Amino acid sequence: MPANDAAEAPIYETLVQEHGDVLATARKAAEETQQRAEAVLDFRGPVAAVPDDSSAEPAA
């Protein structure tokens, strides 16, 4: 069952309202981490500075 199918999982919509869309937040963080890792581990040429966003507040 897809996580975004609220018709079959009404509790999911309630949890999103109470706690935010944790799955979307985790997915976004994973994508950003993967992009950062790819940039840092790219040994084909000069290394460009990769900004560190760890000081940014987490999205609520």
Side-chain angles (χ1 to χ4, degrees):
M1 172 174 52
N4 59 1
D5 191 359
E8 293 186 35
I11 189 134
Y12 182 76
E13 188 172 326
T14 302
L15 289 171
V16 169
Q17 290 173 355
E18 292 175 4
H19 302 284
D21 194 344
V22 176
L23 295 177
T25 303
R27 190 176 303 113
K28 181 179 178 189
E31 289 171 357
E32 290 173 353
T33 301
Q34 182 177 8
Q35 290 172 355
R36 181 170 169 78
E38 287 174 356
V40 170
L41 297 174
D42 184 1
F43 298 111
R44 292 180 289 170
V47 177
V50 178
D52 183 11
D53 293 339
S54 63
S55 62
E57 293 183 26

